[in-house]
Amino acid sequence: MKLFADLPVALVALEHVYILVLEMFLWTRPAGLKAFGMKPQQAEATKVLAANQGLYNGFLALGLFWALAQPNPDFAFQLKLFFLGCVFVAGLYGSVTASRKILYIQALPAVLALIMILLAG
């Protein structure tokens, strides 16, 4: 059951590594422009902000990987709850302030992973 519950946590972590790459390295390139629906001028003007945002997504991914690698099961459980909760709140905020699709891309996977972790508890 633990492996089944940890799989969505790993997927959320990998998703945030992907977001890091998009925001930090591909923001002004075709993949970044397409992913975020921006024009080159917009991307160029906001690339420093995007890189900062990408770094924070990397911290979320790192925290989730730390939780998955943590040998103490009680502490690992707490880390998973904390970092998935952070991803969920960030997804909710982003869906209200930036794009509704963030609700489905970021918040929904995090809450599903949270549910799995709580059920495996």
Side-chain angles (χ1 to χ4, degrees):
M1 183 70 164
K2 180 188 175 311
L3 180 63
F4 184 67
D6 280 349
L7 182 60
V9 176
L11 292 175
V12 171
L14 289 171
E15 176 184 35
H16 280 77
V17 169
Y18 177 67
I19 295 169
L20 173 148
V21 170
L22 279 173
E23 293 175 341
M24 292 188 81
F25 305 110
L26 302 177
W27 188 256
T28 59
R29 301 231 163 95
L33 296 174
K34 182 179 178 188
F36 297 103
M38 291 192 308
K39 296 185 179 356
Q41 299 85 353
Q42 290 173 300
E44 192 61 40
T46 59
K47 70 181 179 181
V48 173
L49 295 172
N52 189 43
Q53 206 169 270
L55 183 63
Y56 288 110
N57 278 292
F59 291 145
L60 293 172
L62 187 61
L64 291 169
F65 287 129
W66 176 29
L68 290 169
Q70 176 53 240
N72 179 324
D74 292 333
F75 188 45
F77 180 75
Q78 293 170 356
L79 288 170
K80 289 171 195 170
L81 293 182
F82 175 77
F83 283 101
L84 287 170
C86 289
V87 170
F88 177 66
V89 170
L92 286 180
Y93 185 78
S95 73
V96 170
T97 61
S99 170
R100 186 172 174 99
K101 75 178 186 176
I102 295 172
L103 182 68
Y104 306 106
I105 293 171
Q106 188 174 7
L108 182 62
V111 80
L112 292 174
L114 267 170
I115 291 167
M116 296 300 297
I117 292 300
L118 289 169
L119 289 174

